[in-house]
Amino acid sequence: MSNLAIPVGERIREAMSRLNWTEDRLLEKAGLTGKLNVSEIEKGIREPSVHELSLLADALRVDFYDLLYGPLRKRPPVKWRAMPEEEPEFWAEDFLRNCERYHFLERLEGQCPEDKLCELRSSSPVTNKRCAQRLAKTVSEPLRLGRRPACALRDVLEADYGVKIWHGTHGSGASTYGDFGPAVLLNAEHAPWRRTFSLAHELFHLLTWSNDGAPISSPEWPKRTENLADEFAANLLLPRDELIPAFERLVHNNTILYLHLVNLAREFGVSTEALMIRLRNLQRLTSEDVETTLGDERFKELDRQSMPEKWTSSPPPFPKRFVELGFAAYKKGNLSRGRLSEFLSTDRGDLNQVLSQYGLDEDQDCAGELTAH
Amino acid sequence: MKTRIAPGSSLLIDADAMIEAFALGVRDLLAERLKVVMGDTARQEAHHWRDKWGVAHPLDLHILISEGKLTVEKASLSELDMLKSRLPEGFSRRLDPGETEELSMLYSGRFPRAHFCSGDGRAIEALKILQLLDWGVSLEGALHDLDIRFSQRLRRQFTEAAFEAIIR
């Protein structure tokens, strides 16, 4: 028995404490109940096998090699818009591990994006609605989101600003800023317009993330920070100069059809609720009208009817760029097939099937290349 | 094709090569002609093969194990540590735990007459670094040496040509 097991045991314990897990919980999640005893590993009495370690690492959402050789990486905080009801720590660690893997692939492929988002960060604290509005106006120009910002926001943040955008099924939007750069987690089960609003909301947190690596949110007024993020998102996605003319074109004799309001929301890629609140804040609708309309069954029905057309299928679990980076690394021999399967959380036997969902084929010849000047 | 596997040799096979052997319908023949060994992790990874119609076929390796045709071994932490010390910084992180386990056991000399069979470029690259190239073999090479014929197309990474291209 080597004494190498002792530090491994300590790291298992450390990773467990990040998740607030008991040993029983860990063993249950790893499928090792009754087969392993962490205390024995810590004492050097029992050595875990490679397979057991890989199961533990996966359950703990840490890298196998970090658990084996150490140290465990220091991870940044995750700011949730609405925390998952169950195991928020686990889903935060899951998100962070995915971001670390993404960054690992970027480094392998020499494609680490510049952190251009920090150039857009607010130089002064955003403490009130006016500041949030100003920040939205300031960033919309360099972001070049066009006349309907919701349509371009995700692509611009991913491609030009290196924001890692993941989709999960727990919680309602989260953001983090680590060594891997800025990252956002969205809920894949939400409507596309809700996801876009969440993305804009999380962008606010990334733009106001403090330099000491923590999201800015006063413990005394977390709700207020969230309201400021919503204000920022509404101003970014529904810019006054675009929304008001579009709205006024639809108004006849001081009235606007429900149908037109619903279509306007879809056109701007936001929910009808977000649109109407924004119009209320721009003094184009009264609070009373907004409340009545949102509660009106006829309006709700029109809203529902317009959804399927615009509700494209749920986003895939992995960002396309992440999969493409992993695939390219594998095809070039920089990453093993097994490691790629691990990163895509799939069995080796199913790897090609998973890749095909991203338009990739393991058996395709990717050897061709050109000299670039 | 260069002959690598001599009588009395054993074959330390990785998960993908085992899946490919199964897909070609030669897995049982392979296990009959020589001693086949897998790392514990690789054995767990070689779960099933999916055909072109998307149907999953379980490998059922436990049957081979119970018949004594497949031996499963676990690497110790000191074997893993020994491998780590010989590979360049960060190299292991590009391999999956199953490959690391098998390479560790190969490097430690636990199987003095075992050939490592893999189609993975990274794992074969590791053999080169470990100066164990004489103990590496492609699946095509292994089947050739054991006179096992197959009619289906072998995927490129398991061919002798792919193996040679990596070690060159």
Side-chain angles (χ1 to χ4, degrees):
Chain A
M1 173 77 54
S2 71
N3 60 4
L4 293 166
I6 298 169
V8 171
E10 287 166 358
R11 284 190 286 276
I12 294 171
R13 189 70 66 186
E14 184 187 339
M16 275 166 61
S17 73
R18 286 181 181 181
L19 295 167
N20 292 326
W21 276 2
T22 61
E23 188 173 328
D24 286 347
R25 181 77 181 128
L26 168 63
L27 298 179
E28 182 199 335
K29 291 285 268 189
L32 290 168
T33 303
K35 296 176 186 163
L36 198 70
N37 185 324
V38 176
S39 311
E40 285 181 1
I41 299 172
E42 280 177 306
K43 288 174 190 159
I45 300 169
R46 154 91 145 87
E47 225 182 55
S49 71
V50 174
H51 181 56
E52 285 166 343
L53 265 183
S54 74
L55 292 175
L56 291 171
D58 190 48
L60 291 164
R61 294 302 193 254
V62 295
D63 187 79
F64 168 79
Y65 294 100
D66 288 346
L67 196 61
L68 178 60
Y69 301 127
L72 294 185
R73 283 154 220 253
K74 193 173 177 295
R75 285 176 164 173
V78 169
K79 177 161 181 55
W80 292 98
R81 188 174 180 197
M83 272 194 192
E85 285 174 12
E86 288 174 15
E87 301 201 294
E89 297 89 357
F90 174 79
W91 293 113
E93 293 297 305
D94 180 70
F95 174 37
L96 292 167
R97 182 190 64 169
N98 286 339
C99 292
E100 286 168 359
R101 285 177 165 178
Y102 200 149
H103 190 51
F104 173 76
L105 294 178
E106 285 177 335
R107 279 187 284 129
L108 261 192
E109 286 300 287
Q111 290 186 32
C112 294
E114 266 181 75
D115 185 2
K116 282 165 60 184
L117 205 62
C118 66
E119 293 166 15
L120 302 182
R121 281 206 208 160
S122 170
S123 52
S124 53
V126 180
T127 51
N128 57 45
K129 279 192 172 185
R130 198 165 290 262
C131 295
Q133 289 162 6
R134 203 164 40 234
L135 181 62
K137 201 167 171 60
T138 309
V139 301
S140 60
E141 196 180 319
L143 285 174
R144 290 187 291 181
L145 298 173
R147 300 178 62 200
R148 301 294 179 265
C151 305
L153 184 63
R154 193 179 121 184
D155 288 347
V156 166
L157 291 180
E158 273 189 319
D160 299 341
Y161 288 85
V163 180
K164 295 171 173 63
I165 302 174
W166 292 86
H167 290 90
T169 50
H170 295 82
S172 170
S175 49
T176 188
Y177 219 127
D179 293 341
F180 44 73
V184 169
L185 175 66
L186 302 172
N187 192 315
E189 289 168 354
H190 288 171
W193 32 95
R194 187 164 170 201
R195 290 200 303 267
T196 305
F197 197 87
S198 292
L199 178 57
H201 175 106
E202 298 306 329
L203 177 61
F204 172 83
H205 293 306
L206 294 175
L207 291 170
T208 56
W209 206 272
S210 79
N211 290 330
D212 62 8
I216 293 180
S217 171
S218 164
E220 298 89 51
W221 38 275
K223 178 99 177 83
R224 191 166 157 197
T225 313
E226 292 303 286
N227 289 342
L228 292 177
D230 283 343
E231 183 68 20
F232 169 86
N235 278 262
L236 187 74
L237 299 175
L238 297 161
R240 181 195 176 98
D241 297 347
E242 295 297 335
L243 180 60
I244 290 179
F247 173 75
E248 287 177 348
R249 272 196 297 275
L250 301 170
V251 174
H252 297 288
N253 301 326
N254 288 335
T255 57
I256 179 165
L257 291 173
Y258 279 0
L259 179 69
H260 287 157
L261 270 175
V262 169
N263 287 343
L264 193 61
R266 297 293 96 90
E267 184 186 330
F268 274 85
V270 297
S271 67
T272 47
E273 188 180 359
L275 175 80
M276 292 182 70
I277 292 171
R278 179 77 172 126
L279 288 168
R280 182 197 67 194
N281 292 345
L282 292 168
Q283 274 112 45
R284 291 302 188 275
L285 296 175
T286 65
S287 296
E288 197 185 355
D289 280 347
V290 169
E291 202 176 314
T292 313
T293 308
L294 287 174
D296 188 332
E297 281 306 321
R298 289 173 303 164
F299 182 78
K300 285 185 190 172
E301 185 54 29
L302 273 174
D303 195 11
R304 273 194 293 270
Q305 281 172 4
S306 80
M307 287 177 183
E309 184 197 337
K310 297 277 180 181
W311 196 326
T312 46
S313 57
S314 289
F318 302 102
K320 193 160 192 296
R321 182 169 170 265
F322 170 78
V323 180
E324 285 169 350
L325 283 168
F327 182 71
Y330 160 56
K331 291 301 273 188
K332 287 186 207 163
N334 285 332
L335 188 76
S336 81
R337 187 176 189 273
R339 195 72 161 144
L340 179 62
S341 306
E342 189 189 335
F343 280 16
L344 298 180
S345 305
T346 188
D347 194 282
R348 283 160 181 263
D350 299 333
L351 180 63
N352 216 11
Q353 201 173 47
V354 171
L355 290 171
S356 70
Q357 292 165 16
Y358 295 84
L360 302 168
D361 179 0
E362 214 185 328
D363 296 325
Q364 76 195 62
D365 185 2
C366 304
E369 57 186 19
L370 283 175
T371 304
H373 299 284
Chain B
M1 198 180 292
K2 185 178 163 188
T3 302
R4 289 193 166 90
I5 299 180
S9 299
S10 54
L11 196 70
L12 180 60
I13 191 166
D14 80 0
D16 283 324
M18 180 55 100
I19 294 171
E20 187 71 2
F22 178 84
L24 294 172
V26 298
R27 182 199 61 175
D28 291 4
L29 263 180
L30 193 68
E32 278 164 20
R33 303 259 168 111
L34 85 173
K35 185 184 172 191
V36 179
V37 184
M38 284 185 95
D40 176 44
T41 313
R43 176 249 187 279
Q44 309 282 347
E45 290 168 347
H47 184 254
H48 65 268
W49 165 66
R50 202 173 280 280
D51 66 23
K52 61 181 174 184
W53 294 281
V55 179
H57 303 267
L59 263 63
D60 291 331
L61 292 177
H62 61 277
I63 298 171
L64 284 185
I65 297 167
S66 64
E67 289 171 349
K69 292 175 181 169
L70 173 67
T71 308
V72 177
E73 295 276 347
K74 294 177 183 177
S76 67
L77 292 184
S78 45
E79 282 174 315
L80 293 172
D81 212 44
M82 208 153 60
L83 179 78
K84 184 191 169 227
S85 66
R86 276 303 309 272
L87 293 174
E89 180 74 29
F91 189 98
S92 295
R93 289 179 184 273
R94 304 179 193 193
L95 296 168
D96 86 293
E99 286 148 350
T100 298
E101 179 171 45
E102 291 195 343
L103 286 166
S104 300
M105 294 192 291
L106 189 78
Y107 184 65
S108 73
R110 193 195 286 209
F111 312 110
R113 294 182 60 77
H115 283 80
F116 178 61
C117 179
S118 172
D120 197 283
R122 208 64 205 166
I124 297 165
E125 184 80 27
L127 287 181
K128 201 160 136 183
I129 298 167
L130 299 169
Q131 298 181 322
L132 288 173
L133 270 183
D134 286 346
W135 296 101
V137 66
S138 66
L139 182 61
E140 186 182 29
L143 296 175
H144 172 266
D145 292 355
L146 295 165
D147 200 25
I148 297 173
R149 312 278 163 87
F150 53 94
S151 54
Q152 293 173 61
R153 190 177 69 91
L154 190 70
R155 287 203 294 167
R156 197 189 172 275
Q157 65 263 42
F158 299 103
T159 62
E160 188 65 11
F163 186 85
E164 289 291 336
I166 297 162
I167 63 172
R168 208 176 294 134

